[in-house]
């Protein structure tokens, strides 16, 4: 066995960036999307704890696709401060600590995650040689509808064992991927 | 079945076998007609072989200097044939490392991103959509990969199905290695079964011997546009394979021997794949083996794959 090295490279977990905001649908003079921080509206509107779906709302968020068990908005969003979230015991947490929140109910997944057996990653298996970057829950799961969506698979093989499918042209989806580093 | 240990290079106990000696041996066992058929691919393709390549020694016999010469020659040939500047390296196995791979069938959604990543990383032939991974769409309740469908193209996952990606299982007792008449394929100390593409005679015995359909044959010269060629190449892994040779998953050894994760793992959007060092008790792969109910494919064959499957319980 190799002897333990003094320094291991870091494992970075991707974090949701910035303060939470919604896209207003408008663009500014530079053509950039205008984002509005949640607190802009939520500082003045009174939360309705009965509501747990977008289509029950009269203003904003009506189109929100919601499918996350029996939770309501305020199960996770912090009614007294919309720039943060809260745990089951009401402790306030930042959006970037979302994994702590999800892990309350999804302990099995969290445990697998902690051992590298859940969630996508990039970089090194051997941390003595380089770092690794890992996804956080919301990189893959929409928090409002966390079930992994249906996707169109990438092209099937066309080798001799596999029967060729002449009516299916080669899909060039890989051109959309980033080039090899 | 194990291959003969007739020395082919003149050196004692080097373990290599001359291709020509074996050809004769195969001829004696097969009979003239069958032998002619068996070597037909070689005679057809011999035109495309450079003299240097034909005279090239077995990988294990190459001195460091020889190897350097070979690597530079192959880089030059790639430039001539494909117009791409590539670097071909030969990263050796790391001591104290034996690779294992595990795959969580509960989260694999059959999107084939892994197969695509392999296709790109390993400079596979573009027209055939080649990849070392075949993802089988399986009926829930069945575990028989022979019943799986690798050609599905409906959105995934379908409700009554699950998805099982299969690539080389890096068997502990690889039958593909046993049947190779010229020792062009062997198992490395880190557990990876490799092929010396320049030594392979294209007989395809290994393909027939592999119960996982993990080997691929280059029927034609691979077609890859110059700009799509991955220039970071390994002699025993992703360099562009010559026509008429056999190839297979190498756990991306040009990456993994440098500590990096395999391309298919990085591409997996569901995090179904776990890779690491089986000899390190702290590794993630060991955690999976110790905490999940893992199984291997076609266990009854006794080949001891180093590729494991599990379901979340
Ligand atoms: S899976 Fe097939 S190619 Fe890979 S080592 Fe086993 S027999 Fe050989
Ligand atoms: S480990 Fe590398 S060579 Fe093997 S299937 Fe994955 S991408 Fe392909």
């Amino acid at each position: 066995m190799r002897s333990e090295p003094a320094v291991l490279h870091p494992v970075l977990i991707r974090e949701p960036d910035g303060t939470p905001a919604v896209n207003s649908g408008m663009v500014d003079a530079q053509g950039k999307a205008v984002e509005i921080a949640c607190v802009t509206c939520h500082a003045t509107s009174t939360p309705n704890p009965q509501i747990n779906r977008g289509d029950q709302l009269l203003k904003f968020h009506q189109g929100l696709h919601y499918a996350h068990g029996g939770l309501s908005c305020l199960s996770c969003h912090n009614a007294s401060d919309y720039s943060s979230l809260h745990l089951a015991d009401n402790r306030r947490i930042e959006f970037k600590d979302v994994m702590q929140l999800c892990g309350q109910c999804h302990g099995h997944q969290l445990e697998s995650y902690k051992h590298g057996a859940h969630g996508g990653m990039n970089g090194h298996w051997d941390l003595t040689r380089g770092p690794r970057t890992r996804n956080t829950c919301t990189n893959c799961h929409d928090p409002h509808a966390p079930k992994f969506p249906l996707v169109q698979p990438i092209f099937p093989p066309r080798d001799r064992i596999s029967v060729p499918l002449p009516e299916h042209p080669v899909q060039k989806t890989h051109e959309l991927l980033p080039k090899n580093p | 079945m194990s291959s003969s240990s007739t020395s082919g290079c003149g050196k004692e106990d080097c373990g290599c076998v001359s291709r020509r000696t074996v050809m004769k041996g195969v001829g004696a066992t097969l009979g003239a007609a069958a032998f002619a058929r068996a070597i037909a691919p070689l005679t057809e393709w011999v035109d495309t072989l450079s003299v240097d390549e034909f005279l090239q020694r077995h990988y294990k016999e190459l001195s460091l200097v020889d190897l350097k010469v070979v690597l530079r020659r192959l880089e030059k040939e790639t430039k001539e044939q494909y117009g791409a500047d590539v670097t071909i390296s030969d990263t050796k196995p790391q001591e104290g490392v034996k690779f294992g791979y595990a795959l969580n069938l509960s989260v694999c959604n059959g999107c084939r991103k892994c197969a695509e990543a392999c296709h790109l990383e390993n400079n596979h032939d573009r027209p055939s959509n080649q990849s070392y991974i075949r993802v089988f769409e399986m009926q829930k309740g069945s575990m028989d990969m022979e019943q799986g469908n690798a050609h599905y193209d409906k959105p995934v996952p379908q409700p009554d199905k699950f998805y099982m990606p299969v690539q080389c299982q890096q068997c502990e007792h690889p039958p593909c290695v046993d049947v190779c008449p010229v020792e062009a394929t062997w198992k490395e100390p880190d557990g990876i079964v490799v092929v010396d593409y320049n030594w392979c005679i294209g007989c395809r015995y290994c393909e027939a011997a592999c119960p996982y359909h993990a080997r691929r044959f280059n029927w034609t010269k691979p077609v890859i546009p110059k700009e799509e060629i991955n220039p970071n190449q390994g002699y025993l892994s992703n360099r562009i394979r010559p026509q008429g040779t056999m190839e297979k998953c190498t756990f991306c050894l040009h990456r993994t021997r440098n500590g990096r994760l395999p391309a298919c793992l990085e591409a997996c959007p569901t995090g179904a794949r776990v890779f690491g060092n089986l000899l390190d008790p702290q590794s993630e792969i060991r955690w999976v083996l110790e905490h999940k109910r893992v199984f291997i494919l076609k266990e009854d064959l006794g080949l001891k794959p180093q590729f494991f499957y599990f379901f979340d319980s």
Side-chain angles (χ1 to χ4, degrees):
Chain A
M1 285 304 303
R2 280 166 300 128
S3 53
E4 272 313 303
V7 199
L8 290 182
H9 289 268
V11 176
L12 306 160
I13 298 180
R14 293 192 176 93
E15 287 176 346
D17 43 24
T19 32
V22 289
N23 195 331
S24 66
M26 291 184 291
V27 287
D28 66 13
Q30 278 91 46
K32 276 200 294 188
V34 175
E35 297 222 312
I36 300 180
C38 303
V39 283
T40 315
C41 303
H42 283 289
T44 52
S45 63
T46 326
N48 179 348
Q50 304 304 314
I51 290 191
N52 67 353
R53 292 204 324 260
D55 58 8
Q56 295 168 336
L57 293 166
L58 302 177
K59 293 183 293 186
F60 305 110
H61 305 313
Q62 287 109 327
L64 182 83
H65 172 51
Y66 183 83
H68 195 166
L71 299 181
S72 79
C73 314
L74 298 180
S75 305
C76 305
H77 291 278
N78 195 351
S80 56
D81 173 8
Y82 276 85
S83 57
S84 66
L85 298 166
H86 72 86
L87 299 178
D89 63 5
N90 259 327
R91 259 184 302 150
R92 176 189 192 277
I93 57 162
E94 300 296 336
F95 270 77
K96 70 176 175 52
D97 298 322
V98 59
M99 196 172 288
Q100 216 184 326
L101 182 84
C102 303
Q104 298 177 115
C105 298
H106 306 285
H108 183 82
Q109 284 82 352
L110 183 64
E111 196 204 8
S112 288
Y113 183 93
K114 282 185 183 152
H115 293 95
H118 186 108
M121 59 179 84
N122 291 81
H124 291 76
W125 65 267
D126 183 355
L127 292 175
T128 66
R129 311 240 233 148
R132 193 185 306 176
T133 310
R134 304 190 61 187
N135 288 335
T136 193
C137 310
T138 50
N139 287 134
C140 305
H141 301 279
D142 177 343
H144 300 125
K147 189 171 184 290
F148 215 78
L150 271 188
V151 293
Q152 183 61 32
I154 311 272
F155 53 75
R158 298 158 140 228
D159 52 17
R160 290 202 172 195
I161 298 175
S162 320
V163 189
L165 301 168
E167 68 278 24
H168 295 104
V170 183
Q171 288 175 21
K172 287 282 186 172
T173 29
H174 58 258
E175 283 172 0
L176 301 172
L177 286 180
K179 283 272 172 274
N180 236 284
Chain B
M1 189 187 330
S2 101
S3 38
S4 115
S5 55
T6 333
S7 183
C9 66
K11 272 191 224 154
E12 258 170 359
D13 72 7
C14 85
C16 85
V17 178
S18 142
R19 280 178 280 194
R20 270 150 298 220
T21 316
V22 168
M23 289 293 193
K24 278 195 230 138
V26 175
T29 17
L30 282 184
F35 179 55
R37 271 200 303 280
I39 64 155
L42 183 65
T43 49
E44 258 170 51
W45 291 316
V46 89
D47 295 352
T48 65
L49 282 177
S50 69
V51 179
D52 285 342
E53 191 200 329
F54 191 70
L55 296 179
Q56 186 183 315
R57 287 166 175 253
H58 190 282
Y59 171 84
K60 290 194 202 166
E61 235 191 285
L62 294 170
S63 70
L64 279 181
V65 178
D66 287 348
L67 187 67
K68 258 208 182 120
V69 173
V70 167
L71 296 178
R72 298 298 88 79
R73 188 193 84 231
L74 292 170
E75 287 168 355
K76 199 169 128 260
E77 284 177 8
T78 312
K79 179 76 180 173
E80 283 160 13
Q81 295 179 25
Y82 290 90
D85 292 302
V86 305
T87 313
I88 305 179
S89 56
D90 178 50
T91 318
K92 300 289 185 207
Q94 218 178 309
E95 213 168 306
V97 173
K98 183 152 185 291
F99 289 120
Y101 213 141
L103 202 148
N104 186 345
L105 294 173
S106 299
V107 299
C108 172
N109 70 346
C111 67
R112 286 204 196 93
K113 287 272 186 198
C114 55
E116 181 190 51
C118 182
H119 176 80
L120 299 177
E121 176 70 29
N122 290 288
N123 294 310
H124 281 294
D125 177 51
R126 296 299 188 250
S128 59
N129 286 350
Q130 196 56 275
S131 171
Y132 297 141
I133 306 176
R134 200 166 277 132
V135 186
F136 291 98
E137 187 172 68
M138 309 274 293
Q139 197 59 42
K140 276 191 181 159
S142 149
M143 273 319 296
D144 180 5
M145 68 176 271
E146 308 293 342
Q147 302 295 319
N149 167 21
H151 310 110
Y152 61 89
D153 64 351
K154 293 221 180 59
V156 290
Q158 292 287 316
D160 50 341
K161 307 280 201 247
F162 74 97
Y163 297 84
M164 189 163 81
V166 179
Q167 60 210 68
C168 173
Q169 313 278 300
Q170 317 292 359
C171 308
E172 214 37 29
H173 307 303
C176 54
V177 167
D178 291 345
V179 299
C180 178
V182 295
E183 295 182 17
T185 182
W186 65 93
K187 192 168 174 79
E188 293 262 289
D190 55 4
I192 301 175
V193 175
V194 293
V195 181
D196 182 348
Y197 311 121
N198 291 92
W199 199 255
C200 171
I201 57 170
C203 71
R204 301 175 55 220
Y205 288 181
C206 59
E207 186 185 23
C210 171
Y212 303 105
H213 310 308
R215 290 188 167 241
R216 306 278 180 276
F217 190 62
N218 286 281
W219 289 95
T220 54
K221 182 178 169 203
V223 175
I224 316 169
K226 168 175 149 215
E227 12 7 290
E228 287 182 23
I229 289 175
N230 175 2
N232 166 24
Q233 304 185 355
Y235 180 87
L236 292 173
S237 60
N238 66 337
R239 69 184 165 105
I240 305 176
R241 279 71 60 188
Q243 183 181 22
T245 58
M246 203 41 95
E247 53 171 308
K248 62 183 284 300
C249 162
T250 61
F251 278 180
C252 284
L253 62 80
H254 55 285
R255 297 166 62 102
T256 50
R257 284 182 179 172
N258 289 315
R260 294 175 64 197
L261 290 161
C264 47
L265 184 148
E266 288 198 341
C268 176
T270 67
R273 291 169 168 266
V274 185
F275 181 84
N277 182 5
L278 292 168
L279 300 182
D280 175 1
Q282 302 305 321
S283 67
E284 284 129 358
I285 184 83
R286 281 285 289 272
W287 185 83
V288 167
L289 297 188
E290 281 153 32
H291 292 85
K292 303 281 183 180
R293 275 182 297 146
V294 300
F295 64 93
I296 52 176
L297 292 185
K298 306 196 183 194
E299 185 179 10
D300 44 322
L301 299 177
L303 307 178
K304 292 220 164 29
Q306 303 303 298
F307 197 102
F308 307 88
Y309 294 89
F310 63 102
F311 287 99
D312 275 335
S313 42

